[in-house]
Amino acid sequence: MASGHFFWAIFYFACLCSASLANNAKVNFREKEKKILDQILGAGKYDARIRPSGINGTDGPAVVRVNIFVRSISKIDDVTMEYSVQLTFREQWLDERLKFDDIGGRLKYLTLTEANRVWMPDLFFSNEKEGHFHNIIMPNVYIRIFPYGSVLYSIRISLTLACPMNLKLYPLDRQVCSLRMASYGWTTADLVFLWKEGDPVQVVKNLHLPRFTLEKFLTDYCNSKTNTGEYSCLKVDLLFKREFSYYLIQIYIPCCMLVIVSWVSFWLDQGAVPARVSLGVTTLLTMATQTSGINASLPPVSYTKAIDVWTGVCLTFVFGALLEFALVNYASRSADRAADMHRENMKKKRREMEQASLDAASDLLDTDSNATFAMKPLVRHPGDPLALEKLRQCEVHMQAPKRPNCCRSWLSKFPTSPFKKVPCLGRGQCSRSKRIDVISRITFPLVFALFNLVYWSTYLFREEEED
């Protein structure tokens, strides 16, 4: 009986001890983290001002491996030549002074939120214009210390970076925007930045830009030498392709429509002066407004852009259509004056011929007073228009038939003095102004089509050469 009570007492004591040990182990595990942090980062044990040793504890430079995760690209501004990006920036290096016991693998890493507790690389973004950290709800930063002394630093930041652009092919261009990271105070003898092996740059999958497409990105090194030494530098080049569909809808098609509308003036009657002037001036002002709006959204560069060539030629075509009407109006008024002068000359000649006939008849009556009837002369006077017309018809019938000319026969539908020797008797019979309109109906579209062929083949070919 006594042995049974003794057995149960031992069993109860063992259970209490195991529970106590379990509770103590659970509590002491977190306490162990605190003790480890106090042990490796305590006063007089770790100095954050001293950089870590090199590889394998040598006196060589500390190696810091970098990788970034691009979360978003909010804008790419052509006027200020900059772009805004939000990214998660990570650095990792080895500091053997921070080694600790992982308690049999139960401590994977220690986490800190105060970057000033450990040594940090003095990295900065060399092409940065503005930048800020994210502090909502808590500062988006952490430091992880691993048992073998490796340190991982991660932070989320937003940057506005400079992006020098070449706009010669705008809007058929591609732009390369760089992200440069360099050491500010430590030279390559003390600190070296390297890209993390494997995949140093990641980009969010659903990245969307309104006017650009991120085609690819390349990582490279950009060490710089100054009079104070050589400094380690990393860079990533982001290749953006401009989306042409937006500019096709907003610029190219409206400009083509304005040019075509200016050609409507060629189909209006030359006497419709208010309609043709209003159409020409309206299209010219609209095209000028379109051009100024395009230039307002671009920086004032010293070279000619592809869009400048397009808008300049379209503006020239619209202005040419307005000048064409001025030429038509001048030719019409010249034809009217010529017709009026010809009409006056014909009337003057007719009066002279009538007067000459009356004088001849009076002479005949005077010489032969006995004759009752005066016979009409059988031979016409040399200046008689009827005789000239009969003689001309005979010459036309006697001439050999000529080979027809297509262009000449088409232009003969709108006769003028250079192509027919019959003098102009009015605006309806011959109009040089009408011929100018007809020629413009064909010439302007053909020249504009030729310009489009040269323009697109030239700039698309140059774009392929740059690629």
Side-chain angles (χ1 to χ4, degrees), residues 326-338:
L327 181 62
V328 167
N329 187 265
Y330 175 77
S332 177
R333 288 186 286 108
S334 299
D336 289 343
R337 287 195 297 267

Side-chain angles (χ1 to χ4, degrees), residues 264-309:
V264 176
S265 174
F266 306 151
W267 300 86
L268 298 179
D269 185 72
Q270 58 190 4
V273 177
R276 297 188 68 164
V277 170
S278 301
L279 182 62
V281 172
T282 303
T283 52
L284 182 63
L285 292 178
T286 306
M287 190 67 216
T289 304
Q290 181 86 350
T291 303
S292 62
I294 295 170
N295 293 331
S297 61
L298 293 173
V301 295
S302 59
Y303 48 83
T304 302
K305 303 179 289 294
I307 194 66
D308 294 336
V309 176

Side-chain angles (χ1 to χ4, degrees), residues 383-443:
D384 194 348
L386 295 177
L388 292 176
E389 183 66 23
K390 292 292 184 180
L391 182 61
R392 186 181 294 108
Q393 291 180 1
C394 293
E395 291 177 356
V396 170
H397 286 293
M398 293 176 63
Q399 289 178 356
K402 296 181 179 180
R403 185 177 180 180
N405 191 329
C406 297
C407 297
R408 195 180 184 88
S409 60
W410 176 72
L411 290 174
S412 64
K413 297 180 181 179
F414 310 95
T416 57
S417 300
F419 289 91
K420 283 196 173 183
K421 296 182 179 180
V422 180
C424 296
L425 300 178
R427 186 184 297 177
Q429 295 183 4
C430 68
S431 176
R432 183 178 286 106
S433 60
K434 185 65 175 178
R435 177 170 294 178
I436 295 174
D437 274 343
V438 174
I439 295 175
S440 300
R441 296 173 191 173
I442 306 300
T443 305

Side-chain angles (χ1 to χ4, degrees), residues 224-231:
S224 60
K225 291 183 179 180
T226 65
N227 56 0
T228 58
E230 181 180 1
Y231 298 89

Side-chain angles (χ1 to χ4, degrees), residues 170-171 246-256 290 294 307 310-311:
Y170 176 90
Y246 169 81
Y247 301 93
L248 179 65
I249 297 173
Q250 297 294 327
I251 296 177
Y252 284 89
I253 293 179
C255 289
C256 282
Q290 181 86 350
I294 295 170
I307 194 66
W310 175 264
T311 55

Side-chain angles (χ1 to χ4, degrees), residues 187-212:
T187 62
T188 52
D190 297 314
L191 179 62
V192 173
F193 289 111
L194 297 177
W195 285 112
K196 185 179 180 181
E197 297 179 357
D199 194 7
V201 179
Q202 300 94 34
V203 180
V204 65
K205 292 183 179 180
N206 58 349
L207 180 65
H208 178 70
L209 296 172
R211 297 186 185 182
F212 289 88

